[in-house]
Amino acid sequence: MRANTFIMLALAVVFGVAAVFVSNIWLGDRSSNAAAVKSNLQAEDMIVVAAVPLNFGDRLTPENTREIPWTASALPAGSFKTRTALLDAKLGERQVLTPIGANEPIIDWKITGPGQRATLSATLAEGMKALSIRVNDVLGVAGFVLPGDRVDILLSRTQGDNAYVDVLLQDVKVLAIDQTANEQKADATVVKTVTLEVATLDAQKLTLAGTVGTLSLALREVAGSISEATQRVTLNDLNNSRPAPVEAQGGPLEPVVDTEFLRPSFASVGVVRGMVEEVYEVPLAK
């Protein structure tokens, strides 16, 4: 019995020491991994940001840029770590293509390549074209359309005794108004031309539409990028206080009956004087 007890105690001690040894190794590995992750998260690098607000066409200089610390694991793609890499005089100066706020990182797609000029062609998306159309103070939304806004384009034209309006294009980006491409411009300005970013086929449609009718702009809400179901509006629609219903995805809508046209305009009132009755037409209140 004593021998068996001694053997059991010895085995318990061995297994206990082994368990402690394995636990220390496991905990050590976890601590090392956690420390490495924490070190990576806390590691800082440098990034070049705008020292002041920058607008379209501004040249990047040592005076309007600066370097600040930035978490190394969160550096934006296309950013610059040093002003030396950004402002290499041997390659040529860079200019701003889209407004950059103060302390905002300078990203390569927001600026021109070395030695390039800031032009509208540099801001166009792949496969897109820039096309200018002529507008007046009314058709141009009274000057409230600014670079960076998105608009719908309406075509108004007359054929014989019929006049109608179609929505020609939807959700079109405005690149410039007159000669201004500054998206941070806030004041409404009456302009004569608006430059739009369109595909080649849409550019053809706009060019042809400008010769057969009048083009108008309808300003879209900031987040309104979803295309809407549209319909042609004719002179007949002006005789109704509500436009004809647009077919929805679930099928045609029920026709809207405007009760304003069904309501009588006059009421007959009889007045008896002695033995004689006279009838008067009295207009009803709206």
Side-chain angles (χ1 to χ4, degrees), residues 156-164 212-213:
S156 306
R157 52 180 169 170
T158 303
Q159 289 183 338
D161 295 333
N162 296 323
Y164 54 88
V212 300

Side-chain angles (χ1 to χ4, degrees), residues 210-243:
T211 64
V212 300
T214 302
L215 297 175
S216 308
L217 304 181
L219 184 62
R220 296 178 68 97
E221 60 178 316
V222 175
S225 60
I226 300 177
S227 296
E228 306 172 57
T230 63
Q231 67 177 38
R232 171 174 292 182
V233 175
T234 67
L235 290 175
N236 291 331
D237 296 314
L238 300 183
N239 297 327
N240 300 318
S241 60
R242 299 178 186 175

Side-chain angles (χ1 to χ4, degrees), residues 135-145 151-152 188-189 216-219:
V135 296
N136 57 33
D137 56 342
V138 176
L139 303 181
V141 196
F144 284 99
V145 172
V151 297
D152 291 348
T189 305
S216 308
L217 304 181
L219 184 62

Side-chain angles (χ1 to χ4, degrees), residues 269-280:
V269 178
V271 179
V272 178
R273 293 186 178 90
M275 300 297 293
V276 179
E277 179 182 7
E278 296 183 3
V279 179
Y280 300 90

Side-chain angles (χ1 to χ4, degrees), residues 48-213:
V48 181
V49 301
V52 296
L54 301 175
N55 298 319
F56 178 87
D58 288 349
R59 295 186 303 109
L60 296 177
T61 65
E63 290 73 26
N64 58 22
T65 59
R66 66 191 184 101
E67 299 175 6
I68 63 172
W70 199 274
T71 303
S73 60
L75 285 173
S79 59
F80 299 85
K81 295 183 178 180
T82 64
R83 287 192 294 180
T84 302
L86 175 65
L87 307 174
D88 191 341
K90 295 181 181 179
L91 299 177
E93 67 178 20
R94 295 174 181 262
Q95 295 181 347
V96 177
L97 292 177
T98 185
I100 303 175
N103 296 320
E104 180 181 346
I106 297 176
I107 311 299
D108 55 6
W109 61 267
K110 293 186 176 182
I111 60 177
T112 65
Q116 294 180 347
R117 295 186 302 110
T119 60
L120 281 181
S121 60
T123 67
L124 289 172
E126 184 176 357
M128 304 299 282
K129 306 294 188 295
L131 181 70
S132 297
I133 61 174
R134 185 173 296 277
V135 296
N136 57 33
D137 56 342
V138 176
L139 303 181
V141 196
F144 284 99
V145 172
L146 302 175
D149 285 338
R150 307 195 79 89
V151 297
D152 291 348
I153 302 175
L154 283 62
L155 171 63
S156 306
R157 52 180 169 170
T158 303
Q159 289 183 338
D161 295 333
N162 296 323
Y164 54 88
V165 178
D166 291 311
V167 178
L168 185 63
L169 299 175
Q170 294 189 56
D171 195 31
V172 178
K173 181 181 179 181
V174 177
L175 294 176
I177 51 173
D178 280 347
Q179 304 298 318
T180 302
N182 180 11
E183 294 185 12
Q184 291 187 339
K185 179 181 176 61
D187 298 333
T189 305
V190 177
V191 298
K192 296 181 179 179
T193 59
V194 175
T195 302
L196 307 167
E197 182 184 63
V198 292
T200 302
L201 180 59
D202 292 336
Q204 294 175 270
K205 292 180 180 180
L206 278 175
T207 303
L208 179 61
T211 64
V212 300

